[in-house]
Amino acid sequence: MIRFTKLLQSQAKAIYLIFVFMAILGILAYSNLPSGVYPELSFPRIAVIAEAGNVAPEQVVLTVTRPLEVATNQVYGVQKIRSKTARGSTELSIEFQPTTDMQQALQQLEAKINEVRSTLPAGVNLTVERVTPPFFRYSATTSPPIL
């Protein structure tokens, strides 16, 4: 142990130089690290919101929710579909497999919904969106999304 201490004392300048070099490398590495408040997130989910006016929930289930569920279930990669129906509206949360290309899934889902659109009651407004972090920022006048 004494030999090791004497070796360190005799090579003090080299040890200081190594520590300074490591500190400079640390500062350079720190400055090149990516920084952000929130990490990049990608949810394998798409939300479909349909507004049908002032229609009873039972009628919305039969004429809007069920046809949309059947159409979205035909898209490749769909893992789970959850729906919430209220008076005059329905919200579908479609969860895909984690490895699914979400841009392609969105296009396929919109195509399937467009095929069914003619069978839906007149005046139904449909919104199809990917679930992303900005999707969660809703105004106080709208209801929160179903996730």
Side-chain angles (χ1 to χ4, degrees):
M1 187 68 165
I2 296 175
R3 285 185 186 176
F4 183 68
T5 307
K6 286 184 181 181
L7 177 68
L8 290 178
Q9 287 175 347
S10 66
Q11 301 297 326
K13 289 182 183 179
I15 292 172
Y16 287 135
L17 185 63
I18 290 172
F19 277 117
V20 168
F21 183 69
M22 288 175 58
I24 290 172
L25 284 178
I27 291 170
L28 288 175
Y30 178 76
S31 66
N32 290 329
L33 285 174
S35 64
V37 176
Y38 300 107
E40 290 295 321
L41 296 175
S42 178
F43 298 112
R45 289 187 183 169
I46 295 177
V48 178
I49 301 169
E51 297 174 4
N54 194 13
V55 181
E58 297 83 16
Q59 194 68 21
V60 174
V61 168
L62 294 174
T63 61
V64 180
T65 306
R66 187 68 184 139
L68 288 176
E69 287 176 342
V70 170
T72 57
N73 199 26
Q74 297 173 2
V75 176
Y76 177 76
V78 171
Q79 199 169 16
K80 186 189 327 181
I81 300 173
R82 289 188 288 177
S83 61
K84 179 183 177 185
T85 304
R87 177 176 276 298
S89 68
T90 185
E91 299 177 18
L92 276 72
S93 177
I94 301 107
E95 185 177 326
F96 290 84
Q97 296 171 354
T99 58
T100 304
D101 178 12
M102 290 309 294
Q103 288 293 6
Q104 185 177 4
L106 180 63
Q107 291 174 352
Q108 290 176 354
L109 184 66
E110 288 176 336
K112 288 294 182 183
I113 288 175
N114 284 333
E115 289 176 9
V116 179
R117 193 179 290 256
S118 62
T119 64
L120 299 176
V124 173
N125 295 326
L126 290 171
T127 305
V128 181
E129 292 182 348
R130 283 186 60 194
V131 177
T132 59
F135 183 79
F136 295 114
R137 294 184 190 107
Y138 53 88
S139 67
T141 59
T142 61
S143 62
I146 303 298
L147 297 177

